[in-house]
Amino acid sequence: MKALISSDVRLLANLIQEGKVVVFPTETVYGIGASTKLEASCLRVYEIKGRPKDNPLIAHFHSIESVAGACALGEIGRKLLEKFSPGPLTLILPKKDKFLFPKDLDTLAVRIPRNPVIREWIELSGGPISAPSANLSGRPSLTKLTDVVRYFGETVDAIFQAEEPSFGIESTVVSLFGDRPTLLRPGSIESEELLTVIPDLLIPDSFSKKNTSIVPLSPGTKYKHYAPTAKVTLLSSEEFSFSLKTTIQLETNAWIGFSFEEIDSGGLKIATKEKSFGEYSRICSVSSNEDYASKLYAFFEVCDQMGMKDIFCEVPRPGKGEEGLRNRLEKAKES
Ligand code: AMP
Ligand code: MG
């Protein structure tokens, strides 16, 4: 059955209450949502995206008070939400309401999305709304409505048409459960900012900018993630420029990064005109780490649609926006 595409907040809230599955945009990526109070609906989300059952979902709330009603928020949790929410921060908290999905866990992952229309929808639905990222498990998360329709237009009940994601990578995840606050997944809210509120935050070595080994800390991080079908290679700026100059003629190679000035504009023009999908060709120029993150997954999708075999990604710039982006690039190149 074809999914309804709608911006009608009340109608979409009613669908959630009836147990239906609705894809919606957040400021990070699209999510596949179902009522956190309805186990069967949440389980359908797992089926739709082929998600392993041991990987729990994030519950999306409309306010800090609604989070405090469902979980033991505590002083640090409240401070974090006051500073970074609504926004791309997920907290793992001890669960108070035992009926929320997943029932067999003592913890709940919570987040308050930034778009007020989405928050209004969550509130009208009776909230919270559980949602993993909208992608087939293992593939890059989706950030464009056209991609959502292509992948999920026949399998979900409705698609919420609202402002598209701008951050482009999934939320930062911090656990406040256990002995010490721990960063479980880097994202747009970076460890430096988190440390201003929680100086004792444990930042696993695997997320430090130099260390590239991956240690599974939360269930989701042990799975292959964010990877397109094309092979992803991460290159230093010098290697990136060199690969451009020497292999631009190869029509199954694609590049995303900052340093395009070194190839002659003739070559670049040919590459950008050969083929394109919407706003993207096999060359994607970015102006900052934030711009890079916001374009990355959509570019991966386009590369797969165009049949690219190799995607060359320039390393992020040192500094702001580097942490989450580098983590996603590292995960995309794992095979
Ligand atoms: P996604 O929604 O696909 O962006 O993934 C959500 C992330 O949060 C995954 O890495 C999950 O494993 C993680 N997560 C969700 N709930 C919990 C929880 N209760 N404890 C630890 N990690 C969680
Ligand atoms: Mg995901």
Side-chain angles (χ1 to χ4, degrees), residues 102-289:
K103 284 185 194 158
D104 57 346
L105 284 189
D106 297 332
T107 54
L108 189 67
V110 305
R111 180 165 117 67
I112 306 175
R114 191 165 281 186
N115 184 342
V117 177
I118 298 300
R119 292 204 304 278
E120 186 194 344
W121 170 60
I122 295 169
E123 186 174 12
L124 278 174
S125 78
I129 293 178
S130 285
S133 50
N135 54 315
L136 298 178
S137 210
R139 285 199 55 84
S141 302
L142 300 180
T143 56
K144 297 280 171 201
L145 181 64
T146 47
D147 290 328
V148 166
V149 174
R150 190 158 51 85
Y151 277 99
F152 297 108
E154 306 281 326
T155 50
V156 301
D157 300 305
I159 298 171
F160 197 143
Q161 189 165 21
E163 190 184 339
E164 292 210 305
S166 53
F167 285 86
I169 57 170
E170 304 80 357
S171 59
T172 304
V173 182
V174 172
S175 173
L176 296 181
F177 185 75
D179 298 338
R180 198 172 151 190
T182 306
L183 179 66
L184 298 188
R185 177 172 76 185
S188 304
I189 294 175
E190 303 191 277
S191 43
E192 258 177 48
E193 296 171 87
L194 294 166
L195 286 167
T196 64
V197 181
I198 16 173
D200 66 334
L201 176 71
L202 181 67
I203 301 160
D205 281 348
S206 52
F207 300 145
S208 88
K209 285 164 189 165
K210 295 202 171 52
N211 191 331
T212 57
S213 66
I214 306 290
V215 180
L217 281 169
S218 88
T221 55
K222 72 173 180 267
Y223 296 107
K224 184 173 150 66
H225 261 80
Y226 324 123
T229 306
K231 180 169 180 277
V232 172
T233 308
L234 197 52
L235 298 175
S236 69
S237 299
E238 294 71 32
E239 293 165 332
F240 184 81
S241 295
F242 184 76
S243 77
L244 258 168
K245 264 189 283 190
T246 51
T247 68
I248 187 84
Q249 309 304 342
L250 204 57
E251 287 185 14
T252 53
N253 281 0
W255 286 266
I256 180 167
F258 303 89
S259 308
F260 288 100
E261 62 283 351
E262 283 197 32
I263 66 160
D264 71 283
S265 60
L268 204 57
K269 270 201 192 114
I270 294 167
T272 47
K273 283 209 175 125
E274 285 156 2
K275 223 192 229 179
S276 64
F277 272 73
E279 58 198 282
Y280 295 100
S281 68
R282 66 186 176 98
I283 299 286
C284 183
S285 170
V286 302
S287 57
S288 63
N289 289 335

Side-chain angles (χ1 to χ4, degrees), residues 7 76 172 263 278 282 312 319 330:
S7 309
I76 300 174
T172 304
I263 66 160
R282 66 186 176 98
F312 298 101
E330 294 286 354

